[in-house]
């Protein structure tokens, strides 16, 4: 029987498993958000995030899920006479385009089949043919397990379309995959903390370039809650425009401290090691849904080549071991399943889980 007080350990692609010592950070005494104590906390977290993201530009903390920053990107960086090119390769990037339309923006679509990446060539061709003020990209499409080659895209953009603002959804990538924000020349990168930061949901992180902020000042209808200009004004005092999720920011302080002491290269390698193990297992027993070159290092989407009853297997393993992994997303529900290897999940966890799946399906 389901009981939220005794939930399964999460191997789904977000929210992910949170360590007990991280959970403890959420129960510290609260602070007044206009007090010096809070400003100290805020300043320290932002300084650490700048190191995590390799940026010297703006870093904002938003008390929302990542979707709030989707909206912020559209409302702050895309003006009324602008067109934004939305690149779409799965459920999340599809949704970001919907958000743009819901904000009343002119959205043009570059869409590929689920499971395919959006390539540099496709983007180049599209940008050459139209006039775009901004482009929306997803680094790691969580619904399909595809990682787009955004370092390559960035080089092309810097060389050929330096005036187009680059907005990147890195929700399931940030921390797990490299992000050198300034070097990439991006203008917005966003993530929520319940993915690779391994914190409970309730907070989002955004890096915003200086030129994006200048652009925002010229855009009408930025709204209230996600106005980057307000965020920037309050950031000067190490504050946020409205009362933030202070417990989450304390947990983020703790996690950033851990990440930086491990070293970002080591953190990325740790994710790559887990990915390589899970992908190897998946190829042996089933197949990979994504082409290997594009297979994500933070989650693996397994192609259900054995036609196992995915829902039943997940249910059975959950009832025996109280762990949960993911079925396929949306239309991929039964033809794939997803194992997340992001955040504080370990290689040992992965070996245990794949062993349990093997036992369940009678493979070895
Ligand atoms: C989880 C996810 C989102 C949505 O994030 P929320 O924090 O739920 O708003 C968006 N994009 C990607 C790629 C995701 O994995």
């Amino acid at each position: 029987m389901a009981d939220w007080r005794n939930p399964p350990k999460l191997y789904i692609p977000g929210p992910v498993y949170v360590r007990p010592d991280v959970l403890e950070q959420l129960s510290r005494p609260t602070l007044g958000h206009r007090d010096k104590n809070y400003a100290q906390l805020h300043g320290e977290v932002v300084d650490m995030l700048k190191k995590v993201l390799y940026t010297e530009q703006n870093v904002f903390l938003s008390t929302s899920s990542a979707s709030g920053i989707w909206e912020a990107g559209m409302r702050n960086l895309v003006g009324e006479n602008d067109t934004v090119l939305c690149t779409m390769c799965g459920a999340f990037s599809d949704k970001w385009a919907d958000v743009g339309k819901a904000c009343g923006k002119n959205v043009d679509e570059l869409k590929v089949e689920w499971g395919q990446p959006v390539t540099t060539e496709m983007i180049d061709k599209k940008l050459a043919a139209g006039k775009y003020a901004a482009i929306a990209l997803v680094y790691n499409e969580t619904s399909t397990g595809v990682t787009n080659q955004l370092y390559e895209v960035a080089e092309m953009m810097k060389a050929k379309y330096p005036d187009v603002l680059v907005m990147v959804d890195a929700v399931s990538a940030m921390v797990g995959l490299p992000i050198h924000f300034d070097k990439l020349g991006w203008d917005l990168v966003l993530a929520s903390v319940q993915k690779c930061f391994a914190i409970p949901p309730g907070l989002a992180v955004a890096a915003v370039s200086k030129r994006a902020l200048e652009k925002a000042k010229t855009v009408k209808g930025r709204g209230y809650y996600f106005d980057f200009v307000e965020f920037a004004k309050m950031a000067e005092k190490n504050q946020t425009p409205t009362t933030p999720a202070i417990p989450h920011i304390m947990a983020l302080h703790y996690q950033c401290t851990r990440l930086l002491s491990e070293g970002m290269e080591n953190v990325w390698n740790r994710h790559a090691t887990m990915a390589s193990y899970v992908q190897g297992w998946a190829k042996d027993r089933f197949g990979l849904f994504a082409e290997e070159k594009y297979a994500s290092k933070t989650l693996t989407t397994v192609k259900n080549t054995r036609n196992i009853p995915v829902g039943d297997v997940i249910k059975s393993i959950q009832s025996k071991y109280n762990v949960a992994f993911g079925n396929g997303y949306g239309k991929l529900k039964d033809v794939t399943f997803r194992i997340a290897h992001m955040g504080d999940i370990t290689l040992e966890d992965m070996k245990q889980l794949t062993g349990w799946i093997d036992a369940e399906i009678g493979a070895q």
Side-chain angles (χ1 to χ4, degrees):
M1 250 263 281
D3 182 354
W4 62 269
R5 294 170 193 84
N6 179 29
K9 183 165 178 175
L10 297 178
Y11 299 129
I12 59 172
V16 302
Y17 164 72
V18 183
R19 286 162 49 121
D21 52 332
V22 177
L23 285 177
E24 268 174 32
Q25 300 303 313
L26 293 145
S27 62
R28 287 179 177 277
T30 201
L31 312 172
H33 67 300
R34 302 297 180 221
D35 282 356
K36 287 203 172 69
N37 285 326
Y38 175 76
Q40 181 200 3
L41 168 70
H42 186 106
E44 288 176 7
V45 169
V46 166
D47 283 348
M48 287 192 281
L49 285 170
K50 287 180 177 177
K51 293 191 177 122
V52 168
L53 298 172
Y54 295 81
T55 182
E56 288 172 5
Q57 303 184 78
N58 307 283
V59 172
F60 300 144
L61 302 176
S62 169
T63 296
S64 67
S65 81
S67 307
I69 316 283
W70 271 350
E71 178 155 343
M74 292 295 173
R75 299 188 79 151
N76 284 274
L77 306 196
V78 184
E80 57 185 337
N81 298 316
D82 292 339
T83 302
V84 55
L85 177 62
C86 287
T87 59
M88 300 153 73
C89 57
F92 290 102
S93 40
D94 287 3
K95 244 180 246 177
W96 199 2
D98 289 342
V99 170
K101 290 175 208 161
C103 293
K105 304 300 177 179
N106 301 315
V107 171
D108 200 358
E109 301 181 349
L110 170 54
K111 201 169 189 169
V112 298
E113 285 283 307
W114 283 31
Q116 297 299 312
V118 180
T119 66
T120 309
E121 294 70 40
M122 293 174 195
I123 294 169
D124 187 4
K125 213 167 133 197
K126 194 83 183 168
L127 289 176
K131 170 117 186 59
Y132 299 99
I135 183 170
L137 300 161
V138 65
Y139 196 168
N140 193 68
E141 179 44 82
T142 317
S143 60
T144 62
V146 165
T147 299
N148 288 310
Q149 309 288 296
L150 293 195
Y151 275 66
E152 190 187 283
V153 172
E155 286 312 312
M156 183 277 291
M157 296 283 305
K158 282 193 291 185
K160 299 182 75 173
Y161 310 98
D163 297 334
V164 177
L165 295 177
V166 181
M167 311 194 286
V168 180
D169 170 334
V171 181
S172 60
M174 191 181 287
V175 170
L177 298 173
I179 295 178
H180 298 85
F181 185 75
D182 290 354
K183 214 167 77 190
L184 285 159
W186 291 354
D187 296 285
L188 168 65
V189 69
L190 62 102
S192 35
V193 299
Q194 76 273 16
K195 309 258 166 119
C196 304
F197 281 106
I199 294 170
L203 186 72
V205 169
V208 177
S209 72
K210 287 178 187 147
R211 70 169 184 168
L213 200 58
E214 288 311 308
K215 166 81 186 206
K217 288 175 188 164
T218 71
V219 175
K220 287 203 194 78
R222 298 191 302 274
Y224 173 73
Y225 196 71
F226 295 112
D227 181 356
F228 283 158
V229 179
E230 279 302 306
F231 272 87
K233 208 158 84 191
M234 299 309 287
E236 284 175 25
K237 296 189 276 185
N238 282 320
Q239 292 183 359
T240 50
T242 56
T243 320
I246 295 171
H248 289 78
I249 297 173
M250 291 169 173
L252 184 56
H253 188 286
Y254 185 82
Q255 289 294 61
C256 285
T257 306
R258 288 183 60 227
L259 290 168
L260 293 174
S261 79
E262 183 178 357
M264 292 314 296
E265 302 261 349
N266 295 331
V267 173
W268 303 328
N269 287 337
R270 176 161 54 75
H271 283 84
T273 303
M274 288 193 285
S276 133
Y277 169 77
V278 177
Q279 285 170 17
W281 173 84
K283 278 190 293 184
D284 242 37
R285 308 294 195 268
F286 296 91
L288 290 177
F289 182 63
E291 198 187 310
E292 198 156 350
K293 178 178 171 196
Y294 301 102
S296 168
K297 291 184 167 47
T298 61
L299 79 144
T300 294
T301 302
V302 184
K303 195 169 173 183
N304 183 13
T305 50
R306 289 172 176 249
N307 257 321
I308 61 164
V310 170
D312 294 346
V313 171
I314 292 174
K315 232 184 266 167
S316 170
I317 289 180
Q318 179 160 340
S319 72
K320 286 179 191 154
Y321 310 106
N322 206 24
V323 302
F325 60 100
N327 54 10
Y329 194 101
K331 60 190 176 192
L332 302 175
K333 191 165 187 273
D334 297 311
V335 295
T336 65
F337 59 92
R338 295 175 303 160
I339 299 175
H341 25 84
M342 53 177 92
D344 285 320
I345 284 161
T346 65
L347 184 59
E348 283 61 46
D349 290 329
M350 290 297 103
K351 289 182 176 165
Q352 198 172 41
L353 176 64
T354 51
W356 288 332
I357 299 174
D358 279 345
E360 200 67 28
I361 63 173
Q364 72 273 164

